[in-house]
Amino acid sequence: MIPWIHLDTAQVPGGGGELKLARRGDEFSIRIGQIELMNSRLSGSEKALATLACERIRDRARPRVLIGGLGMGFTLGAALGALPPGASVVVAELVPAVIAWARGPMSEIFGTSLSDPRVTIVQDDVAAVMRGDRGGYDAILLDVDNGPEALTHASNDGLYGPEGLGDARAALKGGGVLAVWSQGPDKSFGARLFKSGFKVEEHRVRAHRAGKGSRHVIWLGTKAQAGPSGAGKPKPRARSPRAAARPSAF
């Protein structure tokens, strides 16, 4: 068995704990304490986060996409593969070291993603980025912390609460999509999405890119197209989250 080699430790801003980057052969792992947040061998659900969302906006000529959380770059890479040449992608990453790791020890995983002219990396809280660009995005992809059940940063709870979901909805254009990665099912989060004005879908996806491993969840929330009044609110008789959910396997 090849041993893990510790490469670096980084503090999460705001007292969110320590992130540790380790390598074993060509495999990378990012942990907080004893909990593994990311592993380079398990990229299936991170890629699905991008492909499911980008599929919904594929007919838009110059889509703008916001990704919350750089991670190991799998969501970014999948988004770039699904988006047209005229697209633009903003990646908001809170932890400076994660950006440094992407450009340093994990550069082989990222390939040419960070140098793609469509990509802009900002070191900032994705919530702040959303609040700063109302109606600016066709899709917002959130893979922050451990999903709706935050582990590393208490403020991430707000990102997935009514206020954060309201900010996400306001940052989307009409017909835009909010995609959220989750470690597992969360009925209360689906209800919050629905109450925040989204048409809701729940997709079960595999952690491994080969369609194996544990199942994660991708939540898709679609903002209604603006009507004549510009309100863009869903009709009162919209289906409940359970009825709207359309599971699919990867």
Side-chain angles (χ1 to χ4, degrees):
M1 178 69 70
I2 302 174
W4 284 102
I5 300 174
H6 176 72
L7 299 180
D8 197 14
T9 299
Q11 297 294 325
V12 178
E18 282 188 342
L19 294 181
K20 294 184 178 181
L21 175 66
R23 179 171 187 165
R24 180 173 64 184
D26 61 357
E27 178 184 1
F28 290 88
S29 175
I30 296 178
R31 294 176 175 270
I32 181 165
Q34 299 301 312
I35 300 173
E36 185 173 66
L37 295 178
M38 289 164 267
N39 186 291
S40 59
R41 294 177 62 248
L42 304 174
S43 60
S45 59
E46 286 84 356
K47 292 178 179 178
L49 177 67
T51 55
L52 285 168
C54 292
E55 179 182 319
R56 303 304 194 278
I57 60 170
R58 65 180 181 273
D59 295 331
R60 304 190 180 199
R62 300 178 66 85
R64 293 189 70 222
V65 176
L66 172 62
I67 299 177
L70 178 59
M72 293 185 173
F74 297 120
T75 298
L76 172 60
L80 292 174
L83 292 170
S88 61
V89 181
V90 176
V91 183
E93 172 55 53
L94 180 65
V95 185
V98 172
I99 301 174
W101 294 344
R103 292 171 173 155
M106 293 197 299
S107 60
E108 61 195 74
I109 298 177
F110 280 82
T112 60
S113 293
L114 298 182
S115 60
D116 191 300
R118 295 173 290 177
V119 176
T120 301
I121 307 293
V122 295
Q123 194 267 297
D124 202 351
D125 187 338
V126 66
V129 177
M130 290 191 300
R131 289 193 294 269
D133 199 350
R134 300 297 192 183
Y137 298 100
D138 297 279
I140 297 174
L141 319 180
L142 297 180
D143 185 4
V144 177
D145 211 316
N146 203 38
E149 294 185 8
L151 286 175
T152 67
H153 206 281
S155 65
N156 290 334
D157 285 328
L159 182 64
Y160 299 113
E163 182 177 352
L165 294 177
D167 287 338
R169 188 177 182 280
L172 286 169
K173 300 176 183 178
V177 179
L178 171 65
V180 177
W181 184 95
S182 178
Q183 178 72 26
D186 188 331
K187 291 182 179 180
S188 63
F189 179 68
R192 289 199 301 275
L193 264 180
F194 181 70
K195 290 178 180 178
S196 297
F198 291 99
K199 177 184 176 182
V200 181
E201 299 175 43
E202 177 187 355
H203 294 258
R204 306 293 178 93
V205 298
R206 292 287 190 178
H208 199 281
R209 56 179 174 265
K212 301 178 181 179
S214 59
R215 287 185 182 272
H216 296 157
V217 173
I218 306 298
W219 292 96
L220 294 182
T222 302
K223 179 178 178 178
Q225 292 281 3
S229 66
K233 290 282 188 178
K235 295 180 180 180
R237 289 183 291 179
R239 293 175 294 173
S240 68
R242 178 174 296 178
R246 297 181 182 274
S248 61
F250 281 74

